[in-house]
Amino acid sequence: MTAVTTATPIFEAKNIVMDFTVQKSGGMFAGTKTLRALNDVSFQMFPGESLAVVGESGCGKSTLCRIAMRVHEPTGGRMTYAGKDVHNFASKQDYRNYREKVQMIFQDPFSSLNPLHSIEYTLSRPLKLYHGMKNKQELDAKINEIMETVGLIPAVEQKKKYPHQLSGGQKQRAFIGKVLAIGADVIFADEPTSMLDVSIRLGVLNLMNKMKFENKKSFLYITHDIATARYFSERIIVLYCGHMVEWGDVNKVVKEPAHPYTQLLISAAPDPERDRLVELKEKGRSEIQQWTPESKGCPFAPRCLRATQLCYEQMPEAVEVDPGRFVRCNHL
Ligand code: SF4
């Protein structure tokens, strides 16, 4: 799968830092501490391309989505859409445009649709609100077209249904239909297939692939499944404890992982074609470590078999191992 990059990114994150203040363990008088959920995260998104973000639970993947959706304002760095600062729009029109053009697909299709509204109503609202469609015939034709695009057929019958009458996969397709009706350019898909049966995951991924290639949508695909990341995306970021540890072309990163954490992730994914299982066992604890603004060294050091004293003292620099592919490790 070749990258379809253009020179101008449609969405960009630069040096994003996100700190949260949390209660220390030990009761309400123990005070608070600052945890760093994201540290210096940067990426670019291009039309017609998917960027996968992989990592285990708690590594900051969903925090990234919430910052893009303006749920959180980043502690440092900035995100831009079409060159405009996402957290500091100059006008209401810019903000409204952002709300229209940047959308999310959620993990849970069971709660992302309003149970009181039929699919027809759910699709008609954005068409009326964002595109001013009032004419009944025009609306019907557009809804039927969207239903067919997302594979909910026969459209005339399926659009009359309510969410409880659809399967999990059909609900996710209906929600993707809503994103299409709104007319989003940039889509943050937060584990969109993880709650679906394995047999219907591929159908949803293929639908998103179609949107990417035919409609030039740009996806940020968040997942812990490196196999689907490779199937659906052109580029990948491996996130560990809020740090980008390896990033670049998805095929190169998956075939020849350079960072010990990427190697660990890939060795845990079942792959019948892999001729050699990467034998990288973890040492110490397997939970993700808590990172604070004062922490130093490599965040993966407590779990890394290659760690040396240097790794506990010095944050590794990003090294370009191939054109456009970077790894942060002191001992490549
Ligand atoms: Fe392991 Fe050190 Fe590389 Fe971190 S910098 S991944 S601890 S070898």
Side-chain angles (χ1 to χ4, degrees):
M1 206 181 282
T2 52
V4 195
T5 53
T6 61
T8 315
I10 188 160
F11 192 98
E12 195 166 9
K14 277 189 189 158
N15 312 108
I16 296 294
V17 173
M18 187 73 229
D19 289 344
F20 291 108
T21 303
V22 297
Q23 190 78 36
K24 280 184 184 166
S25 55
M28 60 185 293
F29 299 111
T32 58
K33 62 180 176 181
T34 303
L35 291 183
R36 181 148 289 182
L38 291 170
N39 191 48
D40 196 17
V41 172
S42 301
F43 59 84
Q44 294 181 323
M45 294 169 68
F46 299 91
E49 196 209 66
S50 166
L51 169 65
V53 179
V54 301
E56 58 202 22
S57 299
C59 71
K61 306 187 295 286
S62 297
T63 303
L64 212 47
C65 273
R66 285 196 286 270
I67 295 172
M69 292 299 118
R70 294 171 40 109
V71 176
H72 303 307
E73 189 152 339
T75 313
R78 68 198 285 255
M79 286 186 176
T80 54
Y81 167 73
K84 292 177 179 162
D85 190 331
V86 165
H87 294 88
N88 193 16
F89 286 118
S91 68
K92 278 190 180 169
Q93 186 51 43
D94 284 347
Y95 174 58
R96 191 182 144 88
N97 186 47
Y98 183 73
R99 277 277 171 247
E100 182 183 335
K101 296 296 181 189
V102 181
Q103 291 288 322
M104 233 183 122
I105 298 174
F106 299 93
Q107 183 177 8
D108 181 5
F110 300 89
S111 57
S112 47
L113 291 169
N114 189 327
L116 301 177
H117 294 158
S118 68
I119 303 307
E120 183 175 26
Y121 181 85
T122 300
L123 298 185
S124 69
R125 289 290 292 163
L127 292 174
K128 287 179 188 168
L129 284 173
Y130 290 107
H131 305 290
M133 281 190 193
K134 298 255 160 43
N135 180 290
K136 171 107 178 64
Q137 277 177 334
E138 192 188 8
L139 259 177
D140 276 349
K142 189 66 190 170
I143 291 170
N144 290 350
E145 182 194 315
I146 292 171
M147 294 291 286
E148 277 162 25
T149 305
V150 299
L152 288 174
I153 44 176
V156 180
E157 193 180 300
Q158 296 285 353
K159 70 183 180 184
K160 298 289 175 201
K161 290 187 175 175
Y162 285 79
H164 73 273
Q165 295 171 304
L166 302 176
S167 68
Q170 287 174 321
K171 281 193 190 80
Q172 198 62 300
R173 284 173 184 273
F175 191 81
I176 292 172
K178 184 178 167 185
V179 170
L180 278 176
I182 295 169
D185 292 336
V186 175
I187 299 162
F188 285 77
D190 189 0
E191 309 220 24
T193 59
S194 64
M195 287 185 73
L196 304 179
D197 288 344
V198 176
S199 55
I200 49 179
R201 283 181 191 174
L202 187 62
V204 172
L205 280 177
N206 284 341
L207 169 59
M208 297 199 305
N209 241 343
K210 194 168 138 189
M211 288 162 69
K212 188 175 74 178
F213 291 126
E214 292 180 8
N215 307 102
K216 295 284 170 261
K217 307 290 182 196
S218 176
F219 281 87
L220 187 101
Y221 176 55
I222 292 200
T223 183
H224 56 260
D225 181 355
I226 213 148
T228 61
R230 187 180 175 192
Y231 179 75
F232 178 57
S233 301
E234 286 76 21
R235 290 179 298 129
I236 190 170
I237 295 172
V238 181
L239 210 56
Y240 182 77
C241 201
H243 297 70
M244 291 168 64
V245 294
E246 184 163 359
W247 60 100
D249 178 88
V250 71
N251 284 318
K252 285 189 178 163
V253 170
V254 174
K255 275 190 191 158
E256 296 153 13
H259 193 279
Y261 177 62
T262 319
Q263 292 170 1
L264 185 67
L265 271 185
I266 288 167
S267 71
D271 181 357
E273 286 178 14
R274 190 186 301 131
D275 52 5
R276 183 176 62 88
L277 187 72
V278 181
E279 287 193 10
L280 193 88
K281 300 212 167 36
E282 289 181 78
K283 70 172 188 182
R285 32 189 231 102
S286 59
E287 290 150 33
I288 202 157
Q289 114 181 63
Q290 290 191 332
W291 195 261
T292 70
E294 294 76 38
S295 302
K296 56 180 189 168
C298 170
F300 192 56
R303 291 171 66 179
C304 183
L305 278 182
R306 290 189 214 154
T308 60
Q309 192 55 34
L310 175 72
C311 301
Y312 287 94
E313 290 165 2
Q314 185 179 305
M315 170 70 83
E317 293 287 331
V319 176
E320 189 166 15
V321 291
D322 282 317
R325 180 180 164 208
F326 294 82
V327 185
R328 262 186 219 279
C329 178
N330 288 322
H331 302 295
L332 281 175

